[in-house]
Amino acid sequence: MDKKTKIKCPHCGEMTFLREKKNFGDSFAVQEVKYFCMFCGGEAEPPREEKSPGKSDAALDKFSKMLGGEEKVKKFSLGFADGESRFCLHCVNYIKHPFTSRCGLSLKEIEATDSCENFRKKE
């Protein structure tokens, strides 16, 4: 539940926020959750959550209109297939160390997200 959602209280009729009260069991797990009006303290049903349309689709539509094109803008891709990347982290020659990671071929300091032409995938 969104804590910033106002509802009309069924008891007092005011537009109000809901206060959430959790009841815990013996194992400190939440057994039930009840909602109360902030003004009168009457018990109320939690508001239904409505999903808004996808923000990314709406943003892509706005962006394509801004550029003057009617066709949708394609999402950016790195050109790798799913699950395939050429990061040093996934290379056979990657030597992981808590302070400085190195390449096993050149012995240079590298970051896990670096890449090079000598990449060989770990098996």
Side-chain angles (χ1 to χ4, degrees), residues 7 9 40 71 76-77 92 106 108:
I7 66 157
C9 177
C40 69
E71 71 269 355
F76 178 75
S77 173
V92 173
S106 64
K108 292 182 181 178

Side-chain angles (χ1 to χ4, degrees), residues 77-90:
S77 173
L78 291 174
F80 302 125
D82 289 338
E84 178 188 342
S85 66
R86 297 180 59 87
F87 294 134
C88 288
L89 175 67
H90 304 294

Side-chain angles (χ1 to χ4, degrees), residues 21-92:
K21 182 179 180 191
K22 296 179 182 178
N23 292 329
F24 297 94
D26 294 334
S27 63
F28 299 105
V30 177
Q31 297 295 323
E32 67 177 336
V33 179
K34 292 186 178 182
Y35 299 93
F36 298 95
C37 172
M38 293 291 272
F39 291 120
C40 69
E43 190 171 346
E45 293 291 321
R48 291 183 296 248
E49 293 185 25
E50 298 176 8
K51 290 190 174 183
S52 61
K55 291 182 180 180
S56 62
D57 291 338
L60 283 174
D61 290 340
K62 287 180 183 178
F63 185 64
S64 65
K65 287 179 185 177
M66 182 180 74
L67 294 176
E70 291 299 321
E71 71 269 355
K72 281 194 170 186
V73 178
K74 294 181 182 177
K75 291 187 177 181
F76 178 75
S77 173
L78 291 174
F80 302 125
D82 289 338
E84 178 188 342
S85 66
R86 297 180 59 87
F87 294 134
C88 288
L89 175 67
H90 304 294
C91 182
V92 173

